[in-house]
Amino acid sequence: MEQDSYSHTDNTRWTRWGWHLLTWVCIALALIGVVLPGMPTTVFVLIAAWSASRCSPRLRRWIEQHRLFGPRLRNWEAGGYIDRHTKWVASGGMLVALALILVFIRHPLVLMPVLALLATGAWVVWSRPEPASRQLSWLKHSDPSKR
């Protein structure tokens, strides 16, 4: 059986409550990030998984097995990978956010740092490697005689 890093004796009741609160706030923020352009999702999933591992192995497993969060968390933990689909979805959200920013923010002292943060976010997303499973999946379905 796999050993969890969680220990009941390591955390007081209030500390565990705080970790639970942080986990659920991050899950809520990640869900908001799914639908709100420019709001990150993956970073909140990572924080939620980390804080859940501090307070509840069961909650951590739930996040790992979640149909939306699980694959992205596993990719990140396997090597900081971000799959191509996630990169495109994030880029689409950033483009919508960019359009909204350009329409509503007119002051250059506010606009420039916001644009710099958006550009940094895009660079981070696209600079991350993609998981090899896409290539492995392609190899598994290809004709073995052509390899």
Side-chain angles (χ1 to χ4, degrees):
M1 180 178 215
E2 183 180 331
Q3 186 76 20
D4 286 318
S5 62
Y6 168 76
S7 170
H8 289 285
T9 60
D10 289 345
N11 294 317
T12 66
R13 179 179 172 195
W14 290 106
T15 304
R16 286 184 57 225
W17 185 86
W19 289 121
H20 272 281
L21 179 64
L22 177 61
T23 301
W24 286 108
V25 165
C26 287
I27 288 171
L29 290 171
L31 288 171
I32 292 168
V34 168
V35 295
L36 187 64
M39 176 89 165
T41 301
T42 303
V43 69
F44 292 117
V45 172
L46 297 175
I47 295 169
W50 171 75
S51 62
S53 69
R54 309 278 302 175
C55 64
S56 171
R58 185 173 144 207
L59 183 55
R60 167 67 188 216
R61 279 190 298 276
W62 177 81
I63 295 169
E64 288 172 348
Q65 295 169 359
H66 192 275
R67 71 173 184 80
L68 181 64
F69 302 142
R72 284 145 191 88
L73 177 62
R74 288 188 297 274
N75 279 342
W76 186 264
E77 290 179 340
Y81 303 125
I82 300 177
D83 64 84
R84 178 69 53 104
H85 178 262
T86 301
K87 288 179 179 184
W88 282 111
V89 170
S91 296
M94 286 186 262
L95 284 174
V96 170
L98 176 63
L100 292 171
I101 288 166
L102 292 174
V103 167
F104 291 109
I105 298 179
R106 298 284 184 206
H107 198 281
L109 290 177
V110 175
L111 183 60
M112 294 319 241
V114 171
L115 293 177
L117 287 172
L118 194 58
T120 301
W123 178 80
V124 168
V125 166
W126 283 97
S127 69
R128 300 305 313 158
E130 294 179 17
S133 63
R134 176 179 289 267
Q135 296 162 355
L136 295 176
S137 161
W138 174 80
L139 285 174
K140 281 190 258 181
H141 293 75
S142 66
D143 185 356
S145 64
K146 295 182 181 179
R147 279 191 243 155

